[in-house]
Amino acid sequence: MKILLTYFALIALLSCKNEHQLSNSQPNIIFILADDMSYYDLSCLGQNQFTTPNIDKMYNGGLFFSEAYSAAPECAPSRGTLMEGKHLGHSRIRLNRSARMQDHLMDDDITVAEMLKKAGYKTGFVGKWGIGLPGTEGTPDKQGFDYAFGYYDQLRAHTFYPYYLMENGKQVAIPENYGFDMAKCYAHTNSEEGLNVYNEDGQLLPNGIKEPFKAKNSQDLIHEKALEFITENKDEPLFLYYATQLPHGPCITPDLGEYKDKPWGMKHKEWAAMMTHLDRHVGDLVDLTEELGIAENTIFIFSSDNGYAHCGYMGRKHWEDDPLFKNKGPWKGGKFASFDGGVRIPMLAYCPGTIPHGTTNHQVVLYDFMATACDLAGVEAPENDGISFVPLLNGTPEKQEDHEYLYWGGGTFTPRSQAVRMGDWFGMRNNPSDSLQLWNLKNDIGSGKNIANENPEVVNRILEIMKEAHIDSDWYQNPEDTAKDMKAKTDSAKEAGLMQVPVRANSTYPGKIE
């Protein structure tokens, strides 16, 4: 009941007019994408077991989108659609895996970084990329970013103590982390809680590392590079895509901090500490723009990459709410499936003294970012599926264009599924042979009662959208594809030498694989 009350309180339109609209035609843009962060992992939205004061500050001084969606229910396609501005019926990356394994963007794909670079921006990426392995044309340094640092391979991004990171296409060795036992870290998260070791002060003693206090946490290294990029480019328009690993599992943190003595299980302590780690770094980014005198010309957008995933790290069934943190929310499903709960995310925009403060229930989706960023930069956007939400940022909601519909297709658990949100309606089917399930989210936020039989006209329109929105992919499973079809695609990829095999975290020392 508490969650429902919090949600319905949010959907009231509270926005007030801002004192002055975006005055600079090319403001700095910093997009912070959290990884597997749950909707109610933020204390500004009701989390009461731990706090996120820096993100709360942005929430309290910025614009919150209470009806925001990811463009996909899992990591890689969410990131691909964000960069391309296309939904899952049109985008290059549609699942975490294709017939040729971890797939990538191509040379002819146009990213938001390429568009902003064309507009005169300095473009930077730090963190988890996941849409182009080293050696492919899909790496960030080949997709419009002047500077790129972090994980190109999303499987390697599972470790916070890697043997190397990538910088502008080259490996940067981290010998301080050699020996880190990633297998034990996985086992700790999946079942055997207690395998991660912390001293009496709550500091991590990473398994397998000879000198544990010299170990380098990748989030800290990535964050340092982000601060450097902002500082070095403060005098010209900049775009920073800050795709943090946090709080994606496996659960581990350099310091349990204030949670070390909590009467919780270790993984709950770690999750709270990971969220605190993220919140601290968000605060650093905002503080730096204030110190550099560029805060009022810097737009922050903060969001997450997919719906509820937290339970997968706690040994429970998928989509089951956490009994302690209660961070799932009322929505049906979660990560890996195109139910409302698989794509429902928190999102806010912040620019002190410029973006209006309050809440809007206008429906936005991460693939709107291409259109919005191009609008802010004063450059015409390429063909895309998004709608610029700059009118909302300017405090002129009456000028904001609405989506006719939002479209999703696929998910690791339901690769042949399709889903559509159209106004208050949400329709979804797992396979083309299945009947459409239909819910009215205004009256049934948890998608509890299928009312398809009572609304045949709505059902027919959504089925039309599903047909018109999807263009078949050569490598991903299309709604009509059978297991036999997918095997043929995989065999074709192998014969053509097109398999892109991801590297398991810390499976090798630098120079051995990539």
Side-chain angles (χ1 to χ4, degrees):
M1 179 62 72
K2 178 181 178 182
I3 290 176
L4 289 173
L5 290 173
T6 302
Y7 174 76
F8 286 119
L10 281 172
I11 63 174
L13 188 61
L14 303 174
S15 299
C16 58
K17 295 290 184 179
N18 52 336
E19 295 179 4
H20 34 267
Q21 294 187 354
L22 300 171
S23 57
N24 191 315
S25 60
Q26 291 192 317
N28 301 316
I29 304 169
I30 299 177
F31 195 109
I32 304 171
L33 187 70
D35 195 354
D36 273 6
M37 186 189 76
S38 298
Y39 205 96
Y40 289 101
D41 274 328
L42 302 177
S43 51
C44 54
L45 296 180
Q47 179 55 242
N48 56 23
Q49 296 297 323
F50 55 86
T51 61
T52 51
N54 293 296
I55 299 171
D56 290 2
K57 174 184 174 182
M58 297 171 70
Y59 170 88
N60 290 323
L63 183 63
F64 179 70
F65 299 85
S66 66
E67 295 276 322
Y69 283 94
S70 167
E74 56 196 66
C75 296
S78 179
R79 293 155 202 277
T81 52
L82 175 66
M83 288 293 99
E84 287 190 274
K86 296 180 180 180
H87 61 55
L88 289 177
H90 297 155
S91 60
R92 179 75 65 182
I93 312 297
R94 302 192 181 187
L95 285 169
N96 277 352
R97 295 288 180 273
S98 78
R100 56 181 184 176
M101 297 294 285
Q102 188 168 310
D103 225 314
H104 57 271
L105 296 178
M106 304 294 284
D107 282 338
D108 57 354
D109 293 322
I110 302 172
T111 68
V112 65
E114 289 174 307
M115 295 307 301
L116 293 181
K117 187 173 181 178
K118 183 185 297 186
Y121 277 68
K122 282 292 184 180
T123 56
F125 157 78
V126 296
K128 171 180 168 180
W129 181 244
I131 48 178
L133 292 172
T136 71
E137 56 206 87
T139 57
D141 51 284
K142 296 178 183 175
Q143 290 290 334
F145 286 97
D146 295 310
Y147 180 75
F149 181 84
Y151 296 93
Y152 289 6
D153 184 327
Q154 70 175 28
L155 265 186
R156 290 196 63 253
H158 287 183
T159 178
F160 286 87
Y161 294 91
Y163 294 166
Y164 64 93
L165 290 171
M166 302 297 295
E167 185 171 37
N168 296 336
K170 297 180 180 179
Q171 291 182 7
V172 177
I174 311 173
E176 295 89 345
N177 291 347
Y178 288 178
F180 178 66
D181 192 338
M182 191 65 205
K184 188 172 287 188
C185 187
Y186 276 122
H188 165 83
T189 295
N190 293 335
S191 58
E192 302 176 58
E193 182 170 304
L195 295 181
N196 286 346
V197 180
Y198 297 86
N199 66 15
E200 61 182 11
D201 296 322
Q203 296 173 311
L204 178 69
L205 304 176
N207 288 307
I209 296 179
K210 293 182 179 180
E211 298 183 82
F213 291 113
K214 291 185 179 181
K216 302 291 186 182
N217 181 277
S218 59
Q219 168 60 25
D220 290 338
L221 296 176
I222 287 164
H223 185 62
E224 289 173 8
K225 295 296 185 179
L227 298 178
E228 290 175 7
F229 176 81
I230 295 171
T231 302
E232 291 170 1
N233 296 287
K234 63 181 177 63
D235 295 324
E236 49 194 319
L238 65 88
F239 165 53
L240 175 63
Y241 173 35
Y242 187 101
T244 174
Q245 299 163 266
L246 291 167
H248 194 293
C251 295
I252 192 168
T253 183
D255 191 344
L256 294 173
E258 63 193 278
Y259 309 107
K260 71 181 181 68
D261 297 322
K262 289 284 188 179
W264 305 340
M266 182 58 71
K267 285 182 282 191
H268 280 92
K269 295 178 183 180
E270 289 169 328
W271 186 268
M274 292 167 83
M275 280 302 304
T276 295
H277 197 176
L278 168 61
D279 182 74
R280 181 170 64 251
H281 283 178
V282 170
D284 289 346
L285 294 171
V286 174
D287 289 346
L288 180 61
T289 63
E290 294 173 352
E291 292 168 10
L292 296 175
I294 60 173
E296 292 189 0
N297 191 43
T298 300
I299 294 174
F300 284 90
I301 298 176
F302 176 88
S303 193
S304 192
D305 62 342
N306 48 247
Y308 183 66
H310 172 268
C311 62
Y313 306 129
M314 300 293 171
R316 295 186 308 283
K317 294 179 181 179
H318 279 282
W319 312 335
E320 182 179 311
D321 200 4
D322 185 86
L324 176 64
F325 295 150
K326 301 186 184 302
N327 50 353
K328 180 184 185 297
W331 307 287
K332 183 180 182 68
K335 183 179 179 178
F336 295 131
S338 295
F339 291 108
D340 190 41
V343 289
R344 181 78 69 141
I345 56 173
M347 179 174 164
L348 61 87
Y350 176 76
C351 183
T354 301
I355 290 177
H357 152 231
T359 296
T360 175
N361 60 5
H362 174 82
Q363 291 173 19
V364 295
V365 62
L366 290 188
Y367 57 76
D368 287 336
F369 181 59
M370 168 70 87
T372 302
C374 288
D375 196 356
L376 290 169
V379 62
E380 185 176 353
E383 182 178 355
N384 70 94
D385 297 312
I387 294 175
S388 170
F389 50 79
V390 166
L392 296 177
L393 303 183
N394 269 331
T396 55
E398 69 278 3
K399 297 180 180 180
Q400 180 63 53
E401 183 181 351
D402 295 325
H403 283 279
E404 179 189 353
Y405 62 83
L406 306 180
Y407 175 82
W408 300 271
T412 291
F413 289 173
T414 55
R416 302 172 65 198
S417 67
Q418 293 176 284
V420 169
R421 171 134 193 203
M422 184 178 68
D424 292 327
W425 301 103
F426 193 96
M428 189 266 195
R429 65 181 183 186
N430 285 328
N431 301 287
S433 60
D434 293 343
S435 297
L436 185 82
Q437 299 179 74
L438 181 70
W439 304 281
N440 186 304
L441 299 183
K442 183 177 181 180
N443 304 321
D444 181 16
I445 192 62
S447 303
K449 182 181 179 182
N450 179 7
I451 53 176
N453 291 337
E454 303 165 31
N455 298 277
E457 292 183 1
V458 176
V459 168
N460 288 336
R461 176 56 187 141
I462 288 179
L463 291 176
E464 290 175 356
I465 291 169
M466 288 178 173
K467 184 175 181 179
E468 69 187 40
H470 176 85
I471 297 175
D472 278 355
S473 166
D474 291 337
W475 300 113
Y476 290 92
Q477 187 165 13
N478 300 303
E480 302 290 343
D481 286 345
T482 64
K484 184 177 179 180
D485 294 327
M486 286 306 295
K487 183 179 185 304
K489 289 184 178 185
T490 300
D491 291 344
S492 175
K494 289 178 179 177
E495 291 171 8
L498 296 176
M499 299 299 286
Q500 296 294 326
V501 182
V503 180
R504 196 68 171 177
N506 287 2
S507 61
T508 181
Y509 286 88
K512 297 291 183 65
I513 294 289
E514 298 177 359

